[in-house]
Amino acid sequence: MIRFEQVAKRYAGGHEALADLSFQVPDGEMAFVTGHSGAGKSTLLKLIGLIERPSHGTIRVDERDLGKVRASGVPKWRRQLGMVFQDHRLLMDRSVFDNVELPLLIGGFAPAERARRVRAALEKLGLARYERQLPAALSTGEQQRVGIARAIVARPRILIADEPTGNLDPQLALEIMGLFGEVQQQGTTVLVASHDLPLIKRMRRRVIVLDHGRLVADLAAEEVR
């Protein structure tokens, strides 16, 4: 599903976020990307979402070369993705319901189906009572859960999540990861960037380890200790 081939990302000013990065994630797998702060985890996910472009190398998703996706085609590409951001990126003048519904509106779902899916996602994340609230009325952790609900509501082919449990208590973080596992069981490929090593160890999934933008370990689930 996802293949990086000697990918590098160098920002203006010379900072090299990723260097000669090659790996692949099969269709329907759930894997973690970990490493120190600044290791390149967020950059890796941004390249998949076409928020950033690589300086060198090739990224293929389902054999499609993302380097050939023009700017005009980026919105269509992102409709296949669910994306969870560290900074939530919620529409603060829209209700929780409206925020979660947005991918379904863009996808052209019928109103009744949109309402059913939104309420099911909010229920799973313990947010049903907040559906008419504005995000500003919620805590940081609740806002993060709204972002997760928005990411999964359209049942995307690929889910990428950047530190999705950073603002959550340990028990809720484990529950969210369990939810991601359920999403994966439904056929979605899931890639999660996280520095929460105890949580990663409990999940027992494949772990891709970065250090200063380079791949230093790629551990199968049974190797994670």
Side-chain angles (χ1 to χ4, degrees), residues 99-176:
N99 269 275
V100 177
E101 184 186 34
L102 187 59
L104 302 176
L105 277 170
I106 295 171
F109 287 80
E113 179 66 7
R114 294 200 306 266
R116 187 187 69 78
R117 289 200 184 197
V118 170
R119 292 196 170 101
L122 292 176
E123 185 69 35
K124 278 188 175 182
L125 286 149
L127 296 167
R129 64 187 182 278
Y130 300 127
E131 70 169 63
R132 293 302 169 193
Q133 295 276 357
L134 293 177
L138 276 58
S139 69
T140 301
E142 288 164 346
Q143 289 179 24
Q144 181 71 316
R145 282 186 276 157
V146 174
I148 293 168
R150 180 183 58 192
I152 67 172
V153 72
R155 299 170 190 165
R157 294 180 63 231
I158 300 172
L159 175 64
I160 55 177
D162 192 0
E163 300 288 358
T165 60
N167 297 306
L168 306 178
D169 64 68
Q171 182 57 42
L172 184 54
L174 187 61
E175 291 175 10
I176 293 300

Side-chain angles (χ1 to χ4, degrees), residues 1-8 18 20-29 44 47-48 50 54 56-67 77 157-158 160 189 191 206 208 215 218:
M1 173 60 79
I2 301 169
R3 186 162 74 246
F4 277 54
E5 300 172 350
Q6 297 180 310
V7 172
L18 295 173
D20 195 29
L21 183 61
S22 297
F23 69 93
Q24 58 185 356
V25 179
D27 188 17
E29 183 174 72
L44 186 157
L47 293 176
I48 297 172
L50 292 180
H56 301 287
T58 304
I59 302 170
R60 300 182 188 276
V61 177
D62 200 17
E63 297 304 322
R64 183 178 187 181
D65 184 349
L66 296 192
W77 164 247
R157 294 180 63 231
I158 300 172
I160 55 177
T189 303
L191 198 57
R206 177 184 173 191
I208 297 165
L215 178 67
D218 189 346

Side-chain angles (χ1 to χ4, degrees), residues 182-195:
E182 292 177 17
V183 170
Q184 180 235 346
Q185 290 299 317
Q186 295 169 2
T188 296
T189 303
V190 181
L191 198 57
V192 180
S194 176
H195 66 270

Side-chain angles (χ1 to χ4, degrees), residues 4 6-11 14-23 33 38-48 52-56 59 210-215:
F4 277 54
Q6 297 180 310
V7 172
K9 175 62 180 180
R10 184 183 295 271
Y11 288 99
H15 172 61
E16 191 172 49
L18 295 173
D20 195 29
L21 183 61
S22 297
F23 69 93
V33 180
K41 304 185 297 295
S42 297
T43 299
L44 186 157
L45 297 186
K46 288 177 181 177
L47 293 176
I48 297 172
E52 302 278 2
R53 299 276 189 165
S55 304
H56 301 287
I59 302 170
L210 302 181
D211 183 20
H212 293 93
R214 295 182 181 275
L215 178 67

